[in-house]
Amino acid sequence: YTFMTGSCRLPRGDLLYLEGQFKAIREKAAAAMPGTDWSPVELRRDLPPDRADIVVVGGGVIGWSVAYWLKKKERVRDGVRVLVVEKDPTYSEASTVLSAGGIRQQFSLKENIQLSLASVDFMRNINEHLWVLNEDPIDLQFNHSGYLFLASESVAHIMEENYVTQREHGAKVTLLSPAQLKERFPWLNTDGVVLASYGLENEGWFDPWSLLNAFRRKAMSMGVFHCHGEVTGFTCTTSSRETEDGDVLRIKRIKYIDVKMPDSREYQPVECAIVINAAGVNSGKIADMIGIGSGSEHSMAGFSLPVEPRKRYVYVVHCPDGPGLESPFLIDYSGVYFRREGLGGNYITGNSPEETEEPDISDLKVDHEFFQEKVWPHLSHRVPAFESLKVTGAWAGFYDYNTFDQNAIIGLHPRISNMFLATGFSGHGLQHSPAVGCAVAELVLDGGFRTIDLSAFDFKRILQQEPILERNIV
Amino acid sequence: MNQRFYDVEVFWRWSRWLKSRRVQRKNAYFGFTQKKFGVNIAAAYYVLHLGGSFRFTDQSEWVHANSRGKFSYNFLNTPDSTIEEVDLSRTLINHNGLDNIVSQKTLRSLSVQGCPNVDDWFLARLHVFGESLQELDVSHCPRITVGGLVALQHLRKLRRLDVSSLVGVSSPSLVRILLEEMLPLCEVTGAEYDQGFVQHDSMGQLKEDTWLETRSFPVCIYPAGSEPRLAPSHSGEFLFLQAA
């Protein structure tokens, strides 16, 4: 309180100053009450907040899509506080950025077809959804080329049935005979091919990194909290429920989620109401941290999340005489696939390994022998121009492989009352990400699916041991 | 300015939203017109509503609005005539607007020159005209990229394609070669073979008087210390750049 020297006017000015001081004291006292973010001890700045309404474990394209849709659907500003926890901000081993980036509607399950169509609708209008003020418009570099599946004699009937389902749900697909194939794609060897299914519209490939960044930028502009840290533990409460048969089941409820800072032993227990497990290849580990699947309490064994990483190789090859601009994303009945990359005669190719010969998942090293033995013979048989190609590069990425039936697991876990699962996509996560984000947000905020009914992907099919398998030709 | 004043930001968002609403309204689905008058009349009315012009299969005159925006409703008298040629240059059409035109299976020529909302998704929807479309003009559309041009492979009857001045395509001459390979019977105009190429001599220096055709005017690069020489075939505005 300073006196103004030599002035005796405005005694009220001094009183106003005092009132301003009292107001500041009152506001500070209100902020110091529990329930706000203020704390008297200045800790590390990049710790996550003490409490969050919804914590999304995993910052891949699914995690950020869910975060965006949660913020989009909240009715009140700052209605939900969403925190996304990502272990590796360089995304060096994330499935999202290592993906080939294709999107197709040629599935046999109607839920997958609907998810793909909804996602492609989202991407068509992506600038209306994800545009942020003062930033560049989003360019997904979408190549509208279509997928071409080739079927042999034994699997042609599956392709025909799938064609009917796909047409019924609005996918623009057409069937081609070997003669039409030869006329359309003269570089293709139609030996052994009886039928082909070609996507006319809404299929192709795009840049996964742009989509991830678009979601992330928009979600952060809407107020999603972001934390660079690793989830190392949970604090849960347990309650008991009795089933119809009289068994007593212990249901857990997550109270705190421990987020550990990188290269440090510091961790922050974040108090949360809902956890969304979108951790991709590490979802199984996250679920195990809660204690399910350990087989100790009252037959928990059947409840573990059957998601594990599977390594897949992608090889970049250069062939100047290869197929031109019209080359689709071709998938042969032997499992080999290839697609064009850029305009310089480069292609991306690969193959799915047999179940018994799954490569080692401890690192992302590429096995070039696999190309020589499993990819090149089939590739050069199908496209003779590829006999003279040169491998210019390769990388490996993980699928979050659902060992039960290779389809997504979306929904609440039966033994954890507040953990939602959005994982197990087995290679289709990127193409379904916008629609899955919307579905999970509806599940969390509206209590049920509103746009696409994904109840077929619920966890209970694993408990009842009723797999829903994609009937594809590969 | 909008980074410093919230009011300016609000105005900017608002004007952007109004523009996108206008585009949406221009591309709305004319369902009522289709139900009442049939798909052909609805397509004709839609083209006139956007400000374009069309020609019916059995007539030889083009129907379009005059400078005051008025057009005659004579097309109501011929509900069975399908449209053969459509000129939608410099209109607000986008991929949604195609809903009104996909019914015209006899469409032979389409021009969307200079349309700001025609993008790759629009080109991807053109596959429905695969059996009939012979001429396509997509020049001066800023949002088209190579990813959309590959979708033109479904148009097997295409004979003339104009891809001049596509800002989104970074190497027009290479794309022209690839398009000619993809559609062997089609004549691709608008991208010269040497467009976008800068020629170097053996020393790696820019050749004397290298001509580069840019989108707006030719550029003449001449070595330092000499005078630029104009070739007799070139006239009009030039940009002179002195190579250091």
Side-chain angles (χ1 to χ4, degrees), chain A residues 12-228:
Chain A
R12 274 179 67 205
D14 296 342
L15 275 176
L16 276 175
Y17 174 75
L18 255 185
E19 275 196 30
Q21 291 283 293
F22 282 138
K23 186 160 174 275
I25 291 172
R26 275 198 298 270
E27 278 173 5
K28 201 68 186 228
M33 287 284 134
T36 59
D37 278 333
W38 182 82
S39 92
V41 180
E42 181 77 45
L43 296 173
R44 264 174 79 128
R45 266 161 233 270
D46 40 344
L47 276 181
D50 280 335
R51 57 190 70 76
D53 295 318
I54 304 180
V55 175
V56 179
V57 178
V61 70
I62 299 279
W64 281 109
S65 169
V66 171
Y68 160 74
W69 279 105
L70 282 169
K71 273 310 213 186
K72 182 143 162 87
K73 286 177 73 66
E74 63 180 11
R75 306 284 179 83
V76 181
R77 185 189 303 198
D78 294 333
V80 278
R81 177 184 283 202
V82 183
L83 169 71
V84 173
V85 180
E86 166 59 40
K87 174 169 81 165
D88 179 10
T90 60
Y91 294 99
S92 51
E93 293 189 350
S95 315
T96 303
V97 295
L98 295 170
S99 139
I103 177 166
R104 59 174 161 118
Q105 281 86 48
Q106 295 181 51
F107 292 101
S108 63
L109 285 176
K110 73 171 193 322
E111 284 88 6
N112 278 332
I113 303 174
Q114 285 167 341
L115 280 174
S116 267
L117 280 171
S119 298
V120 107
D121 257 331
F122 184 89
M123 288 190 231
R124 208 194 310 262
N125 302 315
I126 194 161
N127 271 305
E128 278 168 33
H129 293 286
L130 298 184
W131 172 73
V132 177
L133 190 66
N134 290 328
E135 300 280 350
D136 300 324
I138 298 154
D139 177 22
L140 279 183
Q141 292 160 41
F142 201 107
N143 270 278
H144 298 259
S145 267
Y147 269 63
L148 181 68
F149 278 87
L150 301 175
S152 61
E153 185 79 47
S154 46
V155 289
H157 62 284
I158 303 183
M159 184 175 266
E160 280 166 7
E161 286 162 18
N162 287 350
Y163 170 75
V164 170
T165 324
Q166 286 150 22
R167 272 274 162 190
E168 205 181 297
H169 289 99
K172 311 268 197 309
V173 189
T174 181
L175 288 177
L176 297 171
S177 69
Q180 286 170 322
L181 267 184
K182 199 72 196 166
E183 185 246 319
R184 196 67 177 264
F185 306 113
W187 40 263
L188 192 62
N189 172 16
T190 51
D191 198 25
V193 174
V194 156
L195 193 60
S197 156
Y198 189 30
L200 293 171
E201 200 189 321
N202 295 336
E203 291 194 348
W205 57 88
F206 60 96
D207 180 25
W209 176 243
S210 322
L211 184 65
L212 175 65
N213 261 342
F215 271 127
R216 191 163 74 155
R217 203 176 64 177
K218 181 70 177 174
M220 291 188 59
S221 81
M222 288 163 118
V224 168
F225 287 77
H226 173 217
C227 172
H228 166 203

Side-chain angles (χ1 to χ4, degrees), chain A residues 77 120 123-125 127-128 131 133-134 139 142-145 172 183-185 198-202 324-327 340 343, chain B residues 2-3 9 12-13 16 24 95 119-121 124-125 127 145-148 150-151 153-154 156 171 174-175 178-179 181-182:
Chain A
R77 185 189 303 198
V120 107
M123 288 190 231
R124 208 194 310 262
N125 302 315
N127 271 305
E128 278 168 33
W131 172 73
L133 190 66
N134 290 328
D139 177 22
F142 201 107
N143 270 278
H144 298 259
S145 267
K172 311 268 197 309
E183 185 246 319
R184 196 67 177 264
F185 306 113
Y198 189 30
L200 293 171
E201 200 189 321
N202 295 336
L325 265 189
E326 78 273 9
S327 70
R340 180 182 55 83
L343 300 176
Chain B
N2 53 18
Q3 282 164 341
E9 186 183 311
W12 210 61
R13 273 189 208 270
R16 221 185 114 105
Q24 267 175 28
H95 54 86
D119 56 1
D120 297 339
W121 298 95
R125 281 196 80 174
H127 70 89
T145 66
V146 182
V150 301
Q153 53 157 310
H154 299 287
R156 303 315 290 176
S171 42
L174 177 59
V175 169
L178 293 170
L179 280 175
E181 275 178 20
M182 181 170 94

Side-chain angles (χ1 to χ4, degrees), chain B residues 146-164:
Chain B
V146 182
L149 291 174
V150 301
L152 299 178
Q153 53 157 310
H154 299 287
L155 305 172
R156 303 315 290 176
K157 294 267 173 18
L158 200 64
R159 296 292 172 262
R160 286 223 292 279
L161 175 64
D162 189 345
V163 287
S164 32

Side-chain angles (χ1 to χ4, degrees), chain A residues 287-431:
Chain A
D288 287 343
M289 271 181 216
I290 306 181
I292 52 168
S294 45
S296 55
E297 311 172 37
H298 300 279
S299 67
M300 279 276 212
F303 295 86
S304 67
L305 195 56
V307 173
E308 59 179 51
R310 289 285 169 97
K311 188 154 80 162
R312 294 285 178 267
Y313 304 114
V314 177
Y315 304 93
V316 182
V317 300
H318 175 69
C319 177
D321 297 321
L325 265 189
E326 78 273 9
S327 70
F329 199 131
L330 188 128
I331 304 190
D332 189 39
Y333 53 82
S334 58
V336 144
Y337 65 84
F338 86 90
R339 71 153 168 90
R340 180 182 55 83
E341 171 65 37
L343 300 176
N346 295 311
Y347 304 89
I348 284 186
T349 177
N351 194 353
S352 310
E354 306 284 323
E355 277 286 339
T356 45
E357 294 171 359
E358 286 288 345
D360 175 38
I361 50 166
S362 54
D363 58 15
L364 282 177
K365 281 221 304 261
V366 177
D367 179 12
H368 290 277
E369 282 301 310
F370 182 79
F371 179 78
Q372 299 284 340
E373 286 164 30
K374 293 281 163 49
V375 180
W376 202 357
H378 300 290
L379 197 61
S380 50
H381 170 71
R382 191 50 65 205
V383 181
F386 280 153
E387 284 189 19
S388 56
L389 57 71
K390 191 163 164 331
V391 179
T392 48
W395 73 81
F398 289 123
Y399 276 6
D400 48 342
Y401 196 80
N402 177 355
T403 47
F404 183 65
D405 57 9
Q406 291 90 59
N407 267 315
I409 305 178
I410 298 177
L412 267 176
H413 192 282
R415 298 295 288 271
I416 310 172
S417 57
N418 60 351
M419 178 157 101
F420 287 84
L421 302 162
T423 175
F425 296 97
S426 318
H428 306 138
L430 177 67
Q431 57 185 291

